[in-house]
Amino acid sequence: MVAPGGQGLWQPRGSGLLVAVVGLSVVALVVHGAIALLLLHGTVRPPVAADRPVGRPTPTATTPKPTTTPAPTSPPPSTGTPGSAAPAAAGALHLDHACLVADNPPTSAHIPSGDPFGSDLSHLGSGAELQRLYDVHSGTLEPADAAGPVRECDRRLWAIVVAATPVEVLEYVDELLVFDADVSAGTAVGEVFAQPNSTEASAHWRLSLALNNSTDLDVTFNVAHEVGHLLSLNRAEMTGQDESSCQGIFMGEGCLKDRATLATYIDDTWGDDVLDEWSTADDLTDDQQQADAFDAFYEKHHDQFVDAYAATHPVEDFAESFAMWCALGPSSPLLPDFIEGDPTDGAAKLAWFDDPSHAVGLQARARREALQAFTR
Protein backbone atom coordinates (compact mmCIF):
# COMPACT_ATOMS: atom_id res chain seq x y z
CA MET A 1 0.00 0.00 0.00
CA VAL A 2 1.13 3.52 -0.74
CA ALA A 3 0.18 6.27 1.66
CA PRO A 4 -1.26 9.73 0.95
CA GLY A 5 1.00 12.12 -0.78
CA GLY A 6 2.59 9.56 -3.01
CA GLN A 7 2.77 7.85 -6.31
CA GLY A 8 1.41 8.51 -9.67
CA LEU A 9 0.79 6.24 -12.56
CA TRP A 10 0.69 5.67 -16.27
CA GLN A 11 -0.64 7.65 -19.18
CA PRO A 12 -3.66 5.62 -20.31
CA ARG A 13 -3.40 4.63 -23.93
CA GLY A 14 -5.32 6.83 -26.28
CA SER A 15 -7.05 9.10 -23.77
CA GLY A 16 -6.60 11.68 -21.09
CA LEU A 17 -8.41 9.54 -18.55
CA LEU A 18 -9.27 10.70 -15.06
CA VAL A 19 -8.47 7.91 -12.63
CA ALA A 20 -9.26 7.83 -8.92
CA VAL A 21 -9.02 5.02 -6.40
CA VAL A 22 -9.87 6.49 -3.06
CA GLY A 23 -10.32 3.15 -1.33
CA LEU A 24 -6.74 2.34 -2.25
CA SER A 25 -5.83 5.93 -1.69
CA VAL A 26 -5.16 6.50 -5.32
CA VAL A 27 -6.37 9.84 -6.57
CA ALA A 28 -5.59 10.74 -10.16
CA LEU A 29 -6.01 14.05 -11.90
CA VAL A 30 -5.44 15.08 -15.48
CA VAL A 31 -2.95 17.93 -15.35
CA HIS A 32 -1.36 19.50 -18.43
CA GLY A 33 -1.81 16.35 -20.49
CA ALA A 34 -0.39 14.14 -17.74
CA ILE A 35 -2.00 11.80 -15.28
CA ALA A 36 -1.41 12.67 -11.64
CA LEU A 37 -2.11 9.99 -9.07
CA LEU A 38 -1.85 10.25 -5.32
CA LEU A 39 -1.61 6.79 -3.85
CA LEU A 40 -2.00 5.37 -0.40
CA HIS A 41 -0.34 2.00 -0.78
CA GLY A 42 -1.37 -0.48 1.79
CA THR A 43 -2.86 -3.92 1.69
CA VAL A 44 -5.62 -5.49 3.71
CA ARG A 45 -5.58 -9.13 2.83
CA PRO A 46 -6.52 -12.35 4.65
CA PRO A 47 -3.62 -14.21 6.26
CA VAL A 48 -1.69 -16.42 3.84
CA ALA A 49 -2.57 -19.92 5.02
CA ALA A 50 -0.98 -23.14 3.86
CA ASP A 51 -4.39 -24.72 3.34
CA ARG A 52 -5.66 -21.91 1.12
CA PRO A 53 -4.17 -20.54 -2.12
CA VAL A 54 -3.12 -16.93 -1.81
CA GLY A 55 -3.90 -16.25 -5.44
CA ARG A 56 -7.65 -15.77 -5.32
CA PRO A 57 -9.13 -14.86 -1.97
CA THR A 58 -12.86 -14.29 -1.90
CA PRO A 59 -13.46 -10.65 -2.92
CA THR A 60 -14.53 -8.52 0.01
CA ALA A 61 -17.67 -6.41 0.01
CA THR A 62 -15.84 -3.21 0.70
CA THR A 63 -13.25 -1.22 -1.13
CA PRO A 64 -9.75 -2.47 -0.21
CA LYS A 65 -7.94 -0.49 2.44
CA PRO A 66 -4.21 0.19 2.83
CA THR A 67 -1.99 -2.67 3.85
CA THR A 68 -0.34 -2.87 7.19
CA THR A 69 1.82 -5.35 9.08
CA PRO A 70 1.14 -6.12 12.78
CA ALA A 71 3.54 -4.86 15.41
CA PRO A 72 5.82 -7.15 17.40
CA THR A 73 5.79 -7.97 21.09
CA SER A 74 8.56 -7.20 23.51
CA PRO A 75 11.14 -9.96 23.73
CA PRO A 76 14.57 -9.03 25.09
CA PRO A 77 15.56 -5.63 23.70
CA SER A 78 18.27 -5.30 21.13
CA THR A 79 20.77 -2.51 20.87
CA GLY A 80 21.11 -2.57 17.13
CA THR A 81 20.03 -3.96 13.79
CA PRO A 82 21.73 -5.57 10.85
CA GLY A 83 24.15 -3.08 9.42
CA SER A 84 24.51 -4.55 5.98
CA ALA A 85 22.02 -4.38 3.13
CA ALA A 86 23.42 -7.54 1.53
CA PRO A 87 20.99 -10.46 1.25
CA ALA A 88 20.75 -12.36 4.51
CA ALA A 89 21.48 -16.06 4.64
CA ALA A 90 18.33 -18.16 4.86
CA GLY A 91 19.14 -19.25 8.40
CA ALA A 92 19.59 -15.66 9.53
CA LEU A 93 15.89 -14.86 9.10
CA HIS A 94 13.77 -15.88 12.05
CA LEU A 95 10.68 -14.65 13.88
CA ASP A 96 9.77 -16.07 17.28
CA HIS A 97 6.12 -16.90 17.85
CA ALA A 98 6.18 -14.19 20.53
CA CYS A 99 6.62 -11.66 17.72
CA LEU A 100 3.41 -12.77 16.02
CA VAL A 101 0.88 -12.73 18.86
CA ALA A 102 -2.61 -11.46 18.16
CA ASP A 103 -2.33 -8.33 20.27
CA ASN A 104 0.56 -6.48 21.91
CA PRO A 105 0.35 -4.33 25.03
CA PRO A 106 0.53 -0.57 24.45
CA THR A 107 3.98 1.00 24.47
CA SER A 108 5.21 4.45 25.44
CA ALA A 109 6.24 5.15 21.86
CA HIS A 110 5.20 8.43 20.30
CA ILE A 111 5.98 10.15 17.03
CA PRO A 112 8.09 13.20 17.83
CA SER A 113 6.93 16.69 16.95
CA GLY A 114 8.33 17.79 13.63
CA ASP A 115 8.68 14.29 12.19
CA PRO A 116 8.83 14.85 8.40
CA PHE A 117 6.19 12.18 7.78
CA GLY A 118 3.79 13.51 10.41
CA SER A 119 1.97 11.77 13.25
CA ASP A 120 -1.39 11.03 11.61
CA LEU A 121 -1.81 7.26 11.25
CA SER A 122 -5.47 7.35 10.24
CA HIS A 123 -4.63 6.14 6.74
CA LEU A 124 -3.55 2.83 8.31
CA GLY A 125 -7.10 2.28 9.55
CA SER A 126 -9.05 2.94 12.72
CA GLY A 127 -7.59 -0.07 14.52
CA ALA A 128 -3.91 0.80 13.97
CA GLU A 129 -1.90 1.21 17.18
CA LEU A 130 1.65 2.59 17.17
CA GLN A 131 4.18 0.21 18.69
CA ARG A 132 7.58 1.65 17.69
CA LEU A 133 9.15 4.21 15.34
CA TYR A 134 12.76 4.00 14.11
CA ASP A 135 14.97 6.18 11.96
CA VAL A 136 17.02 4.31 9.38
CA HIS A 137 20.66 5.34 9.03
CA SER A 138 23.07 3.41 6.82
CA GLY A 139 20.79 0.39 6.90
CA THR A 140 20.54 0.40 10.70
CA LEU A 141 17.57 1.11 12.97
CA GLU A 142 17.82 3.90 15.54
CA PRO A 143 14.93 4.52 17.98
CA ALA A 144 13.05 7.75 17.24
CA ASP A 145 10.15 7.38 19.68
CA ALA A 146 11.72 7.73 23.17
CA ALA A 147 10.57 4.18 23.98
CA GLY A 148 13.87 2.44 24.60
CA PRO A 149 16.29 0.39 22.48
CA VAL A 150 15.41 -1.55 19.34
CA ARG A 151 13.21 -4.51 20.22
CA GLU A 152 14.37 -7.97 19.20
CA CYS A 153 11.22 -8.64 17.16
CA ASP A 154 11.68 -5.36 15.30
CA ARG A 155 15.33 -6.16 14.65
CA ARG A 156 14.28 -9.47 13.11
CA LEU A 157 11.55 -7.80 11.07
CA TRP A 158 14.10 -5.33 9.75
CA ALA A 159 16.40 -8.24 8.80
CA ILE A 160 13.59 -9.53 6.57
CA VAL A 161 13.15 -6.09 5.01
CA VAL A 162 16.90 -5.86 4.36
CA ALA A 163 16.94 -9.36 2.87
CA ALA A 164 14.07 -8.45 0.53
CA THR A 165 15.23 -5.00 -0.60
CA PRO A 166 18.01 -4.21 -3.08
CA VAL A 167 20.60 -1.99 -1.41
CA GLU A 168 20.05 0.84 -3.89
CA VAL A 169 16.33 0.86 -3.00
CA LEU A 170 16.80 0.47 0.76
CA GLU A 171 18.58 3.83 0.72
CA TYR A 172 15.22 5.50 0.13
CA VAL A 173 13.73 4.21 3.41
CA ASP A 174 14.10 6.87 6.12
CA GLU A 175 11.82 5.38 8.80
CA LEU A 176 10.37 2.06 9.94
CA LEU A 177 7.09 2.30 11.83
CA VAL A 178 5.86 -0.85 13.59
CA PHE A 179 2.20 -0.99 14.58
CA ASP A 180 -0.48 -3.40 15.70
CA ALA A 181 -3.14 -3.98 13.07
CA ASP A 182 -6.79 -4.75 13.69
CA VAL A 183 -7.78 -6.52 10.49
CA SER A 184 -11.40 -6.77 11.69
CA ALA A 185 -11.49 -2.98 11.66
CA GLY A 186 -10.08 -2.74 8.15
CA THR A 187 -6.59 -1.84 9.32
CA ALA A 188 -3.80 -2.16 6.79
CA VAL A 189 -0.94 -4.59 7.34
CA GLY A 190 1.71 -2.65 5.46
CA GLU A 191 2.29 0.71 3.84
CA VAL A 192 4.90 2.86 2.17
CA PHE A 193 4.45 6.59 2.64
CA ALA A 194 6.41 9.22 0.71
CA GLN A 195 7.51 12.29 2.62
CA PRO A 196 4.82 14.95 2.15
CA ASN A 197 5.55 18.54 1.13
CA SER A 198 8.93 17.57 -0.27
CA THR A 199 10.39 18.38 -3.68
CA GLU A 200 12.15 15.00 -3.49
CA ALA A 201 9.28 12.95 -2.06
CA SER A 202 10.16 9.81 -4.01
CA ALA A 203 13.60 9.75 -2.35
CA HIS A 204 12.20 9.63 1.22
CA TRP A 205 9.85 6.92 2.49
CA ARG A 206 8.39 5.68 5.74
CA LEU A 207 7.79 1.92 5.74
CA SER A 208 5.02 0.82 8.12
CA LEU A 209 4.54 -2.86 8.98
CA ALA A 210 2.49 -4.92 11.42
CA LEU A 211 3.55 -8.28 12.85
CA ASN A 212 0.68 -9.14 15.18
CA ASN A 213 -1.65 -12.02 14.36
CA SER A 214 0.57 -13.07 11.45
CA THR A 215 2.61 -16.03 10.25
CA ASP A 216 6.12 -16.06 8.79
CA LEU A 217 4.56 -16.27 5.34
CA ASP A 218 2.18 -13.36 6.01
CA VAL A 219 5.06 -11.15 7.09
CA THR A 220 7.28 -12.13 4.17
CA PHE A 221 4.50 -11.58 1.65
CA ASN A 222 3.58 -8.19 3.13
CA VAL A 223 7.21 -7.06 3.19
CA ALA A 224 7.67 -8.14 -0.43
CA HIS A 225 4.49 -6.27 -1.43
CA GLU A 226 5.77 -3.00 0.04
CA VAL A 227 9.21 -3.58 -1.49
CA GLY A 228 7.40 -3.87 -4.83
CA HIS A 229 6.04 -0.37 -4.30
CA LEU A 230 9.48 0.95 -3.36
CA LEU A 231 11.05 -0.64 -6.44
CA SER A 232 8.54 0.98 -8.79
CA LEU A 233 8.00 4.38 -7.13
CA ASN A 234 11.45 5.50 -5.95
CA ARG A 235 13.46 8.51 -7.08
CA ALA A 236 15.37 6.54 -9.73
CA GLU A 237 12.04 5.95 -11.50
CA MET A 238 11.26 9.69 -11.59
CA THR A 239 12.48 12.57 -13.78
CA GLY A 240 12.34 15.20 -11.06
CA GLN A 241 9.87 17.29 -13.06
CA ASP A 242 7.04 18.96 -11.20
CA GLU A 243 3.38 18.48 -11.94
CA SER A 244 3.11 21.37 -14.40
CA SER A 245 5.98 20.15 -16.59
CA CYS A 246 5.30 16.39 -16.46
CA GLN A 247 4.19 15.14 -19.86
CA GLY A 248 3.83 11.51 -18.86
CA ILE A 249 2.60 10.01 -15.60
CA PHE A 250 2.71 12.24 -12.55
CA MET A 251 2.73 10.51 -9.21
CA GLY A 252 2.45 12.47 -5.98
CA GLU A 253 6.21 12.04 -5.57
CA GLY A 254 7.20 13.07 -9.08
CA CYS A 255 6.96 12.39 -12.80
CA LEU A 256 7.66 8.83 -13.96
CA LYS A 257 10.43 8.46 -16.51
CA ASP A 258 9.69 7.17 -19.99
CA ARG A 259 9.52 3.39 -19.84
CA ALA A 260 9.67 3.40 -16.06
CA THR A 261 9.19 -0.02 -14.46
CA LEU A 262 5.56 0.54 -13.50
CA ALA A 263 4.53 2.04 -16.83
CA THR A 264 6.26 -0.80 -18.71
CA TYR A 265 4.58 -3.44 -16.57
CA ILE A 266 1.13 -1.97 -17.17
CA ASP A 267 1.76 -1.59 -20.90
CA ASP A 268 2.96 -5.21 -21.13
CA THR A 269 0.39 -6.93 -18.92
CA TRP A 270 -2.84 -4.91 -19.04
CA GLY A 271 -4.92 -5.04 -22.20
CA ASP A 272 -6.61 -1.82 -23.30
CA ASP A 273 -10.10 -3.25 -22.82
CA VAL A 274 -9.34 -4.48 -19.30
CA LEU A 275 -7.78 -1.15 -18.36
CA ASP A 276 -10.86 0.65 -19.66
CA GLU A 277 -13.17 -1.61 -17.63
CA TRP A 278 -11.13 -1.06 -14.50
CA SER A 279 -11.16 2.71 -15.04
CA THR A 280 -14.96 2.69 -15.35
CA ALA A 281 -15.25 0.94 -11.97
CA ASP A 282 -12.64 3.23 -10.45
CA ASP A 283 -14.53 6.34 -11.54
CA LEU A 284 -17.55 5.43 -9.41
CA THR A 285 -17.94 7.80 -6.46
CA ASP A 286 -20.27 5.68 -4.30
CA ASP A 287 -18.12 3.42 -2.11
CA GLN A 288 -20.44 0.42 -2.21
CA GLN A 289 -21.06 0.71 -5.94
CA GLN A 290 -17.33 0.91 -6.53
CA ALA A 291 -16.66 -2.10 -4.28
CA ASP A 292 -19.31 -4.11 -6.12
CA ALA A 293 -17.83 -3.05 -9.46
CA PHE A 294 -14.33 -4.13 -8.40
CA ASP A 295 -15.74 -7.48 -7.25
CA ALA A 296 -17.46 -7.98 -10.60
CA PHE A 297 -14.32 -6.88 -12.44
CA TYR A 298 -12.23 -9.47 -10.61
CA GLU A 299 -14.80 -12.23 -11.09
CA LYS A 300 -14.77 -11.56 -14.83
CA HIS A 301 -10.99 -11.28 -15.18
CA HIS A 302 -9.70 -13.41 -12.29
CA ASP A 303 -7.35 -15.37 -14.56
CA GLN A 304 -5.47 -12.16 -15.24
CA PHE A 305 -4.61 -11.39 -11.60
CA VAL A 306 -2.71 -13.23 -8.91
CA ASP A 307 -5.45 -12.41 -6.36
CA ALA A 308 -8.46 -10.16 -5.81
CA TYR A 309 -6.47 -7.32 -4.25
CA ALA A 310 -4.29 -7.10 -7.35
CA ALA A 311 -7.39 -6.33 -9.40
CA THR A 312 -8.21 -3.22 -7.38
CA HIS A 313 -5.54 -1.07 -9.03
CA PRO A 314 -2.64 -1.46 -11.48
CA VAL A 315 -0.22 -0.22 -8.82
CA GLU A 316 -1.41 -2.91 -6.41
CA ASP A 317 -1.34 -5.47 -9.23
CA PHE A 318 2.38 -4.80 -9.68
CA ALA A 319 3.08 -5.08 -5.94
CA GLU A 320 1.00 -8.24 -5.45
CA SER A 321 2.51 -9.95 -8.49
CA PHE A 322 6.00 -9.01 -7.35
CA ALA A 323 5.30 -10.27 -3.83
CA MET A 324 4.08 -13.64 -5.10
CA TRP A 325 7.07 -13.95 -7.45
CA CYS A 326 9.50 -12.97 -4.70
CA ALA A 327 8.07 -14.76 -1.64
CA LEU A 328 6.87 -18.02 -3.20
CA GLY A 329 9.01 -20.43 -5.20
CA PRO A 330 7.87 -21.60 -8.65
CA SER A 331 6.92 -25.01 -7.20
CA SER A 332 5.15 -23.65 -4.12
CA PRO A 333 1.82 -25.37 -3.40
CA LEU A 334 0.46 -21.93 -2.48
CA LEU A 335 0.75 -20.65 -6.03
CA PRO A 336 -2.68 -20.45 -7.68
CA ASP A 337 -3.40 -22.47 -10.79
CA PHE A 338 -3.25 -20.11 -13.73
CA ILE A 339 -4.56 -20.57 -17.23
CA GLU A 340 -1.51 -19.76 -19.33
CA GLY A 341 -1.23 -18.56 -22.86
CA ASP A 342 -1.82 -14.81 -22.85
CA PRO A 343 0.59 -11.97 -21.92
CA THR A 344 -2.03 -10.53 -19.57
CA ASP A 345 -2.78 -13.65 -17.50
CA GLY A 346 -1.62 -14.21 -13.94
CA ALA A 347 1.14 -16.63 -14.90
CA ALA A 348 2.52 -14.15 -17.42
CA LYS A 349 2.61 -11.44 -14.77
CA LEU A 350 4.83 -13.60 -12.59
CA ALA A 351 6.98 -14.54 -15.57
CA TRP A 352 7.34 -10.84 -16.39
CA PHE A 353 9.77 -10.49 -13.48
CA ASP A 354 11.96 -13.29 -14.88
CA ASP A 355 12.42 -11.48 -18.19
CA PRO A 356 16.07 -10.29 -18.25
CA SER A 357 15.01 -7.15 -20.10
CA HIS A 358 13.23 -5.95 -16.94
CA ALA A 359 15.76 -4.58 -14.49
CA VAL A 360 13.45 -4.91 -11.50
CA GLY A 361 13.64 -8.70 -11.67
CA LEU A 362 17.42 -8.62 -11.94
CA GLN A 363 17.54 -6.29 -8.92
CA ALA A 364 15.46 -8.60 -6.77
CA ARG A 365 16.51 -12.05 -7.98
CA ALA A 366 19.32 -12.36 -5.44
CA ARG A 367 16.79 -11.63 -2.68
CA ARG A 368 14.35 -14.40 -3.48
CA GLU A 369 16.28 -17.39 -2.19
CA ALA A 370 16.54 -16.21 1.41
CA LEU A 371 12.88 -15.18 1.55
CA GLN A 372 11.62 -18.39 0.03
CA ALA A 373 13.78 -20.49 2.37
CA PHE A 374 12.39 -18.50 5.32
CA THR A 375 8.79 -19.32 4.42
CA ARG A 376 9.23 -23.03 3.61
Side-chain angles (χ1 to χ4, degrees):
M1 164 184 172
V2 185
Q7 298 81 289
L9 197 49
W10 75 106
Q11 175 71 48
R13 307 174 194 113
S15 69
L17 186 63
L18 175 68
V19 187
V21 178
V22 176
L24 284 175
S25 55
V26 177
V27 181
L29 303 171
V30 178
V31 183
H32 300 285
I35 294 294
L37 293 121
L38 306 178
L39 307 174
L40 176 62
H41 290 285
T43 313
V44 174
R45 67 170 71 79
V48 179
D51 60 351
R52 175 182 67 77
V54 297
R56 293 176 191 164
T58 303
T60 56
T62 56
T63 306
K65 302 291 191 305
T67 340
T68 334
T69 322
T73 54
S74 311
S78 165
T79 56
T81 57
S84 170
L93 302 180
H94 175 68
L95 282 172
D96 289 336
H97 290 299
C99 300
L100 307 173
V101 297
D103 190 29
N104 289 290
T107 70
S108 61
H110 69 277
I111 298 176
S113 175
D115 184 281
F117 296 92
S119 59
D120 181 10
L121 303 184
S122 61
H123 42 84
L124 293 174
S126 61
E129 180 181 277
L130 174 67
Q131 285 284 304
R132 294 300 305 269
L133 177 68
Y134 302 102
D135 289 328
V136 179
H137 294 297
S138 301
T140 300
L141 298 183
E142 297 181 5
D145 54 10
V150 179
R151 300 184 304 183
E152 181 63 17
C153 287
D154 300 343
R155 182 189 68 79
R156 293 179 180 184
L157 173 62
W158 182 244
I160 297 170
V161 173
V162 170
T165 312
V167 61
E168 63 272 23
V169 175
L170 193 67
E171 293 175 354
Y172 297 115
V173 179
D174 291 352
E175 292 184 356
L176 172 69
L177 186 147
V178 182
F179 66 101
D180 261 14
D182 182 357
V183 176
S184 66
T187 310
V189 292
E191 176 190 87
V192 288
F193 181 25
Q195 183 175 317
N197 306 315
S198 171
T199 58
E200 288 290 332
S202 60
H204 302 281
W205 295 85
R206 172 193 282 170
L207 172 62
S208 299
L209 292 166
L211 284 172
N212 65 294
N213 206 29
S214 298
T215 66
D216 288 352
L217 183 56
D218 291 334
V219 173
T220 303
F221 199 88
N222 292 335
V223 167
H225 177 100
E226 303 310 332
V227 170
H229 286 316
L230 292 171
L231 282 165
S232 57
L233 298 168
N234 66 68
R235 181 64 183 83
E237 298 287 313
M238 307 290 177
T239 65
Q241 293 173 301
D242 61 18
E243 189 172 349
S244 62
S245 59
C246 179
Q247 295 300 310
I249 301 165
F250 185 80
M251 325 273 306
E253 306 81 21
C255 185
L256 281 180
K257 292 179 178 178
D258 290 341
R259 302 304 294 172
T261 298
L262 186 57
T264 302
Y265 174 84
I266 294 166
D267 190 58
D268 289 347
T269 67
W270 280 66
D272 290 351
D273 55 342
V274 174
L275 188 58
D276 288 343
E277 281 188 55
W278 172 83
S279 298
T280 298
D282 188 55
D283 284 342
L284 296 172
T285 57
D286 179 84
D287 288 348
Q288 189 59 54
Q289 288 182 6
Q290 187 186 69
D292 292 343
F294 280 138
D295 286 349
F297 174 75
Y298 175 67
E299 286 299 313
K300 180 178 179 181
H301 300 290
H302 62 269
D303 287 330
Q304 299 187 26
F305 299 96
V306 297
D307 60 27
Y309 188 62
T312 58
H313 196 280
V315 172
E316 301 303 332
D317 179 39
F318 178 90
E320 285 287 274
S321 298
F322 174 81
M324 192 168 290
W325 174 83
C326 191
L328 302 179
S331 60
S332 171
L334 299 182
L335 279 176
D337 293 327
F338 294 114
I339 298 174
E340 300 186 37
D342 188 276
T344 63
D345 64 28
K349 288 180 176 179
L350 298 184
W352 188 91
F353 294 97
D354 285 317
D355 188 331
S357 68
H358 302 139
V360 65
L362 297 176
Q363 280 181 298
R365 195 162 295 147
R367 311 280 158 172
R368 297 175 70 194
E369 183 177 349
L371 292 184
Q372 290 172 10
F374 173 61
T375 57
R376 287 190 190 116

